[in-house]
Each structure stands twice: as C-alpha cells, then as structure tokens.
C-alpha cells in the first residue's frame, strides 16, 4: 500500500495546470496551507472544467456494480472480473477501488493498480496494489468498481455524485490541476444564498451550489460547505467556506 504525505509536494501552485505527460503527483494527493485551505490533485474528464465551480467524481457505471469474479486465493493481486454490458477504457479504474459488496470477502475494499480496456460482458483482469486478505474470493463473491474520486472529474448539475472540489483556474479536459476542498473560496451561487446556510450541489445549474433544503429533517443531501461569510447572490461567485472531506 502506498502512503503519501503533504511534505512530498514542493512545487504546489493552485493556479497551475499540467498535461498528462507532465503530471507528477498522485490523484487525490493533498496540500494543506497555513490558512486551512486544502487542495487535492485531480484530472479533468471528458469536458473542460471551470474555476469557481463545484466539480464532482465521475459518475458510477451501473453495469460495473455487483459483478461476479473468479475465485481468488489469499495473497492474489490479479482478480478476474466479469462486467455487465458496458465497455470501458484501459485504466478507467486505476487508483480507484474494488469493493467486495456481497458474499465471500464482503466488507473489504482494495485499491486498483491497473487493467486493460474493458469489453462489454467479457471477463478482464484487475491488478491490485494489495493482495486479497482476510477471506478469499469465490465464484459467489460480488464486487463493485469505483472510480478514484479525483480522476476524470465532471462539472454537472446533480447532488448525487461525490463532490471533488473547486478549482481556482479553469482546467482543460485531460489536464491535471488542483481542486480546493476546504477553506474560503469563491463559488458559483445557483440561487440567492442565505447567510449561515449549509450548501449543497445545485441540482439545476452545473457547478453551482445552493442552500440545503433538509436542514430540519434527516440529512439526505451532501453538504459541501457553508455560507458563513456573506449572503449570496444568484449567478455570482460569492465567498463561502468549503468543508469537503
């Protein structure tokens, strides 16, 4: 298992972007500044992403969940998985996860190192960073493939995906840069913003955030931060405090 720490990142610049050939940091590698702002290294997905807008993890693929696997003994790092009727690019899930969601081995998750291109409904091999431990996998086991939350991030109008952060500069598709997850940031308001209100993804305007709507009931929306500086104006990039994990 690889362990990273912020001291390794000496060339941090939140306004810098890099091409794939120049990328030098792990996806999700973080930098925490003295003013408590936190940034994570990410790569833009199929479309450009915009400064001041909330980005989200790539959408999960329904046909890559609850998959069958071939039996894998303790210590194995190469796992044969059969996807549903959806193909995928080589290394779509590199630096992501294989979660064992049912039957033998359930409850464990493993970080994915690499894999070849995925052909719909055709078994392929996932190579893991760590070996299978605790309980061997069997033909009855089921696994779900999960993207790295900072790989191929997207700018969408939904509150259902995992939030990734807000860039300080626009990033072209396929390029690498930094997303802010904590601290003061200028973020697009999707509606008038109430001072003191928790903020969630808009659900209507891509990259925007709005007041949470279920603050007096059980929380069903992912809070991304708080409008604790000023009340917000619709379509403006008002300062707020981000509070992503």
């Amino acid at each position: 298992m690889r362990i990273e720490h912020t001291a390794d990142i000496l060339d941090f610049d939140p306004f810098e972007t890099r091409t794939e050939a120049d990328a030098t940091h792990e996806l999700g590698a973080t930098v925490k500044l003295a003013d408590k702002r936190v940034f994570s290294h990410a790569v833009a997905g199929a479309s450009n992403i915009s400064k001041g807008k909330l980005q989200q993890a790539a959408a999960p693929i329904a046909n890559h969940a609850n998959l069958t696997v071939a039996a894998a003994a303790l210590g194995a790092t190469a796992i044969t998985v059969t996807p549903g009727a959806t193909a995928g690019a080589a290394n779509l899930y590199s630096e992501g996860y294989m979660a064992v969601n049912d039957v033998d081995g359930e409850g464990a998750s493993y970080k994915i190192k690499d894999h070849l291109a995925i052909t719909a409904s055709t078994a392929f091999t996932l190579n893991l960073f760590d070996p299978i431990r605790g309980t061997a996998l069997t033909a009855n086991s089921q696994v779900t493939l999960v993207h790295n939350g900072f790989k191929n991030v997207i700018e969408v109008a939904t509150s259902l995906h995992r939030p990734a952060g807000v860039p300080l500069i626009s990033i072209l598709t396929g390029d690498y840069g930094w997303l802010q997850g904590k601290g003061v940031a200028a973020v697009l308001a999707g509606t008038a913003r109430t001072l003191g209100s928790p903020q969630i993804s808009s659900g209507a305007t891509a990259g925007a955030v709005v007041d949470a709507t279920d603050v007096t009931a059980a929380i069903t929306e992912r809070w991304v931060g708080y409008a604790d500086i000023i009340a917000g104006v619709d379509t403006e990039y008002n300062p707020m405090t981000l509070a992503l994990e």
Side-chain angles (χ1 to χ4, degrees):
M1 181 177 292
R2 296 176 300 173
I3 300 176
E4 293 89 28
H5 51 89
T6 56
D8 287 339
I9 301 175
L10 304 177
D11 58 348
F12 170 71
D13 180 352
F15 294 96
E16 179 185 49
T17 64
R18 300 183 179 188
T19 65
E20 184 174 2
D22 296 329
T24 58
H25 307 303
E26 302 291 339
L27 291 175
T30 60
V31 173
K32 183 176 182 180
L33 304 184
D35 59 11
K36 307 305 181 184
R37 289 183 297 164
V38 176
F39 293 83
S40 297
H41 195 235
V43 60
S47 300
N48 301 340
I49 62 176
S50 307
K51 65 180 179 181
K53 293 186 177 182
L54 179 68
Q55 308 304 318
Q56 302 193 35
I61 298 173
N63 280 325
H64 294 175
N66 298 311
L67 307 181
T68 59
V69 298
L74 296 179
T77 57
I79 311 300
T80 301
V81 179
T82 301
T86 302
N91 293 326
L92 177 65
Y93 292 104
S94 64
E95 298 190 68
Y97 309 93
M98 181 189 78
V100 186
N101 59 271
D102 202 10
V103 197
D104 300 305
E106 62 188 5
S109 59
Y110 300 90
K111 193 166 185 178
I112 297 169
K113 183 177 182 181
D114 56 37
H115 61 83
L116 297 178
I118 301 170
T119 300
S121 306
T122 302
F124 71 104
T125 299
L126 288 174
N127 294 306
L128 308 178
F129 280 106
D130 298 307
I132 299 298
R133 294 179 180 174
T135 302
L137 303 184
T138 71
N140 295 317
S141 301
Q142 294 182 353
V143 303
T144 293
L145 306 184
V146 182
H147 300 92
N148 182 294
F150 299 96
K151 183 171 187 174
N152 301 332
V153 297
I154 53 177
E155 190 173 295
V156 293
T158 177
S159 59
L160 299 179
H161 299 168
R162 294 173 290 160
V166 177
L168 300 189
I169 189 170
S170 296
I171 304 174
L172 298 178
T173 179
D175 282 359
Y176 291 74
W178 298 92
L179 303 183
Q180 185 178 346
K182 290 187 177 182
V184 175
V187 185
L188 176 64
T191 60
R193 188 180 290 165
T194 305
L195 182 61
S197 175
Q199 299 296 294
I200 62 171
S201 180
S202 165
T205 302
V209 299
V210 297
D211 290 353
T213 58
D214 59 4
V215 294
T216 61
I219 296 173
T220 59
E221 302 161 336
R222 175 72 181 272
W223 293 2
V224 300
Y226 302 88
D228 56 357
I229 300 172
I230 63 171
V233 178
D234 185 17
T235 74
E236 289 191 8
Y237 292 76
N238 302 119
M240 60 172 284
T241 301
L242 291 170
L244 299 178
E245 294 298 328

